[in-house]
Amino acid sequence: MSVPTLAQIEGANWDYLTTNATAWTDLAHVWEAGFTEIRDASARPSGTRWTGAGAETFQQRAAADVVKVRGPADMLRHAAGIATRGAEAQQANKRLVLDAVDDAEREDFRVGEDYSVTDTYTHYTSAAEQQERQQAAQRHGEFITSRVSNLINNENEISRNLTTATAGLHEFGFPDESADGGTGANGEQPRVVLVNNEEPPPLLPGGPLSTSRQAAVDYAEEWAEGFNPDYESLGGGDLDCTNFVSQVMRAGGFEDVGNGIDDWRRGDSDDWYYQNDGGVFPGNTSSKTWTLAKEHHNFVTQHSEWGEIVGVVPTPSRDGLDPLAPSRAGLLPGDLIYYKDADGQINHAAVYVGQAMINGVPTDVINQHSGGIKTHGDWMPDSAEYTRAPAQVEFVRLNYPGD
């Protein structure tokens, strides 16, 4: 570390240490509280008792994770203590430097930016007085320099101690207990496998949502496996994906735009409506932006201020896809995922509803009206048309009323 000037020491503060100490302490609490919440909720997710081999495996893993996370949490708290004590010590060391400077100046010496000490006297009564002043200046200079050195050495020690205290945090993680690290024997990411009438995996506890966003998620949960009789079902369900997404958005407080009268060809890109209030214009129950994935995507992201693209992930295959990619991109339950096929066309849309444990792995899941899994399926595409280049997905964050 280079030697700071006197002005730099006068203006120095160690707020970054106290700020980091607070952040590290809070993060340790969040880690422990989060894993504890998952462990406690695993016995009765959503209030329903969960039993069976899968439940037992997950509950054991959740309990083990609580124990495992205590190590890095304690490391963060230890680092926070080092930072807090370091900030206090450096403030005291700064005061000692400035006190030494004040002592010299009270005796009519001038202290330079490089801590050189010079006499302000221009005349002396004798050679002995001049020699005594020179010796005093030297003593003051040495004393000030020693205190500056102490401040520098302590700064370096804080840095070394923090490096030691946090060693290993970057490598910490929760790999799968099997030897393949959670990818499966053939290197593939875990997939949802639901057979016969097996219940979909329950959603893991998440953070609080706005009232409107929660209403949208509740609708997606209620109608993923069926059809609301207030709406027309399209294509027997397999082609109903965007109709379902639009219903979810309306349930979340988005209001219809346009009424079909000025959009007699249903193609206006800035309209979005479904007329189930008795005012149907003949042959025009809904806008294309309500029922077609591409038009819906363009309306949400380009012709309204309702949503923005926060992430794009190529899907040339399922291999290597991150099970938590949507949430890492910033999606919250109630947001949307659009699927672009191998021809470069957006032909599917789904609602992101949160996370569930799938094959022992926390995974972002969707609800959708399609020919595949409709409730709590993983977000990663399965069919060949969506797993060949240049296929991709787009994550869109919605601006729900009241968010």
Side-chain angles (χ1 to χ4, degrees):
M1 179 179 180
S2 60
V3 177
T5 65
L6 177 57
Q8 288 174 326
I9 289 183
E10 289 173 335
N13 68 70
W14 286 266
D15 291 347
Y16 71 95
L17 286 176
T18 55
T19 299
N20 282 331
T22 300
W24 293 335
T25 301
D26 291 345
L27 182 57
H29 173 73
V30 168
W31 282 356
E32 290 186 332
F35 281 95
T36 300
E37 181 181 4
I38 292 174
R39 180 201 63 190
D40 294 346
S42 64
R44 301 182 66 86
S46 301
T48 302
R49 182 170 178 76
W50 188 23
T51 60
E56 183 177 352
T57 299
F58 174 57
Q59 289 157 4
Q60 291 174 351
R61 176 62 182 269
D65 286 348
V66 170
V67 175
K68 186 172 183 179
V69 82
R70 288 173 184 162
D74 287 343
M75 292 171 67
L76 286 176
R77 292 193 184 94
H78 180 49
I82 293 172
T84 299
R85 292 188 296 272
E88 294 171 351
Q90 288 301 76
Q91 289 290 357
N93 288 331
K94 171 185 174 179
R95 186 68 261 162
L96 290 175
V97 171
L98 299 183
D99 286 347
V101 171
D102 290 342
D103 289 344
E105 291 178 342
R106 276 195 296 269
E107 295 182 11
D108 295 322
F109 292 102
R110 181 181 297 111
V111 180
E113 285 296 304
D114 60 353
Y115 311 107
S116 58
V117 179
T118 56
D119 196 354
T120 61
Y121 285 11
T122 57
H123 300 285
Y124 302 96
T125 59
S126 64
E129 182 187 25
Q130 182 178 12
Q131 183 179 10
E132 182 180 346
R133 294 286 295 177
Q134 289 174 345
Q135 291 173 345
Q138 183 178 354
R139 288 194 301 272
H140 279 298
E142 291 173 350
F143 188 56
I144 293 171
T145 301
S146 69
R147 290 194 165 180
V148 171
S149 296
N150 184 57
L151 183 145
I152 294 172
N153 292 336
N154 197 57
E155 187 82 7
N156 292 333
E157 183 178 2
I158 293 170
S159 178
R160 287 192 299 270
N161 289 342
L162 286 175
T163 299
T164 301
T166 57
L169 273 179
H170 290 295
E171 290 75 29
F172 179 77
F174 289 88
D176 190 82
E177 294 176 357
S178 62
D180 57 37
T183 60
N186 60 358
E188 293 185 358
Q189 292 292 333
R191 304 187 183 192
V192 178
V193 180
L194 298 181
V195 295
N196 300 326
N197 294 320
E198 184 178 345
E199 290 294 321
L203 293 176
L204 297 175
L209 303 176
S210 66
T211 301
S212 54
R213 188 177 284 273
Q214 186 62 59
V217 174
D218 290 344
Y219 186 96
E221 290 286 276
E222 180 178 1
W223 294 107
E225 296 290 342
F227 296 94
N228 185 337
D230 291 337
Y231 296 90
E232 177 186 8
S233 62
L234 304 176
D238 290 349
L239 301 177
D240 196 55
C241 62
T242 312
N243 183 22
F244 174 65
V245 166
S246 291
Q247 293 172 35
V248 169
M249 291 175 59
R250 183 191 263 183
F254 288 104
E255 297 182 353
D256 291 24
V257 178
N259 56 17
I261 297 176
D262 64 342
D263 182 24
W264 63 278
R265 292 185 177 179
R266 302 180 58 236
D268 282 1
S269 59
D270 57 354
D271 283 356
W272 178 80
Y273 57 84
Y274 187 96
Q275 299 188 72
N276 51 5
D277 58 0
V280 177
F281 188 76
N284 190 6
T285 303
S286 58
S287 63
K288 289 183 178 179
T289 57
W290 182 283
T291 59
L292 300 180
K294 177 182 177 181
E295 284 74 7
H296 187 278
H297 167 275
N298 292 344
F299 172 77
V300 169
T301 62
Q302 300 174 28
H303 302 295
S304 69
E305 296 181 352
W306 289 3
E308 60 178 328
I309 301 169
V310 295
V312 177
V313 176
T315 57
S317 73
R318 281 180 60 98
D319 295 345
L321 294 178
D322 181 359
L324 296 177
S327 57
R328 294 191 202 281
L331 291 198
L332 295 175
D335 288 332
L336 306 181
I337 301 179
Y338 295 92
Y339 295 80
K340 184 176 291 187
D341 62 23
D343 294 326
Q345 299 298 315
I346 295 176
N347 275 322
H348 183 54
V351 181
Y352 172 67
V353 293
Q355 296 179 358
M357 293 298 296
I358 296 179
N359 297 339
V361 177
T363 302
D364 286 330
V365 295
I366 57 173
N367 285 6
Q368 60 185 341
H369 274 191
S370 75
I373 297 171
K374 294 179 173 58
T375 304
H376 303 175
D378 73 50
W379 70 271
M380 296 170 280
D382 283 311
S383 63
E385 63 181 318
Y386 293 107
T387 52
R388 289 185 293 112
Q392 65 180 35
V393 300
E394 291 187 7
F395 304 135
V396 172
R397 178 76 177 268
L398 292 178
N399 302 313
Y400 276 94
D403 267 3

